[in-house]
Amino acid sequence: MEIEDPRPIPEPVVLPPPKTEPAWDRAAVAEMELALRVRKLDLWYGAKQALFGIDLDVPKNTVMSLIGPSGCGKSTLLRSLNRMNDLIDGVRIQGQVLLGDQDLYDPKVDVIELRKRMGMVFQKSNPFPKSIYENVAYGLRIHGVKDTRVLDETVERSLVGAGLWDEVKDRLKDSALGLSGGQQQRLCIARALAVKPEVILMDEPCSALDPIATGRVEELIFELKKDFTIVIVTHNMQQAARVSDFTGFFWLGKLIEVGLTKQLFTNPTQRTTEDYITGRFG
Amino acid sequence: MTERHFDTELKCMKDGLMAMAIQVEEMIDLAIVVITKQSDAQAEQVVELDRIVDAQEVRLDCACIDLLGLRAPFATDLRFLAGCLKIIPQLERIGDHCKNIGRRGLILNRQAQVLNPDYFEKMGQAVCGMVCDSVEAFLKGDVDLANRVIKADDLVDELHHQIFGELLRQMIKDPLCIERASHLIIVNKDFERIADHATNICEEVLYILEGVNVKHPYLHQDPHD
């Protein structure tokens, strides 16, 4: 005798298609608009070659971390992106750095204008010995802006953008040198934001900060990428893993591997990358 | 290549997992004896050993979390520890199944055999072989062996169906054996689940070694194929 099951037959469950790829798969990345392209970039300090044929794409509104041991060329590349190496004697560069469609090493490029489009934040915060307000307004003033209303608005917007406004709004005329290390670094970020750059370059921006100040800057980076493209050099691999969408690993002047951060830190394709990020050398 | 203290810690983790696996393999051997030879002594022993395996699980879990938290590993180290964290409960569940077989054995040993012991001998050996091989694949980092274990699960499934069919025939033939046969159906399922856990271990081994998630192959197939 067959016993009938009294329960109603449930409707078949339609499962969503499985997500076997990371949120950004390779095809999606390939279609992203690029903010910055580096093509076959070689760089020499005198007779010593420091960068070898670097090819790097930085998609717009993303964070790209550059990691690698000291002396591997990551800061050299970062400085090449806004032509800061021009200031060093004996530097020779071949190849292209394209911001949008403009080759930054085209002799016609106005370097001052370029640095407005490519803001930079350094390892050690370097506020000018001026007031908080004047530090942020400085970039606009040297570009000839005199309108107080524009300056006030820009200072406020930049300090808000750098997450510093609430902490300093009542003492804008105080010296910037009176701020804490973390506040000074965020002031430098606000100073970079004031001139509305397209790309922000950060050279170990948190290496001199305590964990709380580091956390604030990292949160800020996350917010900033909505409006800017960020390239950050860091020795802190946890930081690279936390803040960046893409990571490039440098070794001996070569870009060994570049890819999605989650891919590179869980399953790198190159043995050298694996050995470095697991602390087997470096 | 830099010598890392972390490597010593990872080796300790591997050794701990090996010790747990040896204990579990011993439990499977005992479970086979319990069912095929109707041995009470072995049944009690296997139930007792489960406590040791449980304690090993807790200790290794803690050690794994400590290493993940303190070392914040990347790449192979991360995959190794993530894999360990998933292999440990698989071994613990194998221990549980053996304990369940032991407990059921204590009931069955007081009754006449329903099934030719050769069936469970064959099933037990196949399952035990899978578990041993899965542990070896983990310890030696052997991709081929891990893949072979995953394939071997089909044989155990086949044996599981055979034994189930045989027990069903016995019950139809002699309704008085229904209680004993019902216990054996559950024992049969316990063995089959142990093989599943060995398969799961090998899937983790493949993730550790190759960084590829091979679980649920149907998810990676085009549904229209």
Side-chain angles (χ1 to χ4, degrees), chain A residues 18 20 237-238 241 265-268 274-275 277-281, chain B residues 1-2 4 7 71-72 74-79 210-211 219-220:
Chain A
T20 53
M237 284 184 286
Q238 299 297 334
F265 281 110
T266 55
N267 195 12
E274 166 87 37
D275 286 346
I277 63 175
T278 55
R280 289 185 170 85
F281 83 84
Chain B
M1 191 70 69
T2 311
R4 303 183 313 165
D7 286 329
R71 293 288 188 175
F74 283 129
T76 42
D77 298 334
L78 172 64
R79 299 204 305 274
E210 301 192 317
L219 291 177
H220 308 286

Side-chain angles (χ1 to χ4, degrees), chain B residues 26-27 30 40-50:
Chain B
E26 190 187 336
M27 289 177 75
L30 288 168
D40 272 5
Q42 260 83 355
E44 280 158 10
Q45 198 183 345
V46 77
V47 171
E48 194 54 37
L49 279 179
D50 189 51

Side-chain angles (χ1 to χ4, degrees), chain A residues 211-245:
Chain A
I212 293 169
T214 298
R216 287 212 181 112
V217 173
E218 287 180 2
E219 286 300 319
L220 182 57
I221 290 171
F222 196 75
E223 286 298 315
L224 290 176
K225 76 172 177 180
K226 290 172 190 159
D227 300 312
F228 307 94
T229 304
I230 297 169
V231 183
I232 176 171
V233 163
T234 178
H235 270 129
N236 181 338
M237 284 184 286
Q238 299 297 334
Q239 181 171 66
R242 283 192 298 263
V243 304
S244 60
D245 304 300

Side-chain angles (χ1 to χ4, degrees), chain A residues 35 52 63 76 107 160 174 200 205 207 217 247 250 257 275 281:
Chain A
F52 296 81
V63 180
T76 299
V160 168
D174 289 3
I200 303 174
S207 62
V217 173
T247 298
F250 279 79
E257 180 170 355
D275 286 346
F281 83 84

Side-chain angles (χ1 to χ4, degrees), chain A residues 4-38:
Chain A
E4 219 171 272
D5 189 336
R7 294 170 297 180
I9 299 169
E11 287 291 316
V13 178
V14 180
L15 293 169
K19 284 184 180 170
T20 53
E21 289 285 333
W24 282 346
D25 62 23
R26 288 184 194 287
V29 171
E31 283 178 11
M32 292 174 87
E33 188 184 347
L34 299 176
L36 200 59
R37 286 171 292 163
V38 180

Side-chain angles (χ1 to χ4, degrees), chain A residues 94-257:
Chain A
Q94 272 179 11
Q96 283 185 312
V97 178
L98 297 150
L99 177 60
D101 290 326
Q102 187 178 26
D103 181 0
L104 304 186
Y105 283 90
D106 187 321
K108 287 179 229 154
V109 166
D110 175 352
V111 177
I112 304 289
E113 193 59 29
L114 160 67
R115 293 200 184 126
K116 193 178 155 195
R117 296 174 66 193
M118 288 263 224
M120 186 142 188
V121 178
F122 296 89
Q123 182 173 3
K124 192 173 178 317
S125 55
N126 51 357
F128 303 134
K130 293 172 177 286
S131 69
I132 294 166
Y133 182 97
E134 284 305 324
N135 262 275
V136 183
Y138 187 82
L140 293 180
R141 286 201 197 280
I142 61 167
H143 282 94
V145 178
K146 291 187 179 128
D147 185 330
T148 317
R149 201 169 53 86
V150 174
L151 288 171
D152 286 352
E153 278 173 11
T154 306
V155 168
E156 180 173 344
R157 175 179 52 78
S158 306
L159 286 169
V160 168
L164 194 59
W165 176 249
D166 287 340
E167 292 163 58
V168 300
K169 64 184 176 195
D170 300 326
R171 48 179 174 136
L172 293 173
K173 300 295 173 197
D174 289 3
S175 168
L177 302 179
L179 296 173
S180 71
Q183 287 172 326
Q184 286 188 11
Q185 192 62 305
R186 280 181 285 145
L187 180 68
C188 293
I189 294 172
R191 193 171 63 192
L193 299 183
V195 291
K196 290 192 178 167
E198 291 161 50
V199 177
I200 303 174
L201 309 174
M202 296 183 165
D203 194 355
E204 297 186 49
C206 301
S207 62
L209 303 183
D210 68 28
I212 293 169
T214 298
R216 287 212 181 112
V217 173
E218 287 180 2
E219 286 300 319
L220 182 57
I221 290 171
F222 196 75
E223 286 298 315
L224 290 176
K225 76 172 177 180
K226 290 172 190 159
D227 300 312
F228 307 94
T229 304
I230 297 169
V231 183
I232 176 171
V233 163
T234 178
H235 270 129
N236 181 338
M237 284 184 286
Q238 299 297 334
Q239 181 171 66
R242 283 192 298 263
V243 304
S244 60
D245 304 300
F246 299 92
T247 298
F249 167 62
F250 279 79
W251 190 53
L252 300 178
K254 291 179 183 155
L255 180 58
I256 302 294
E257 180 170 355

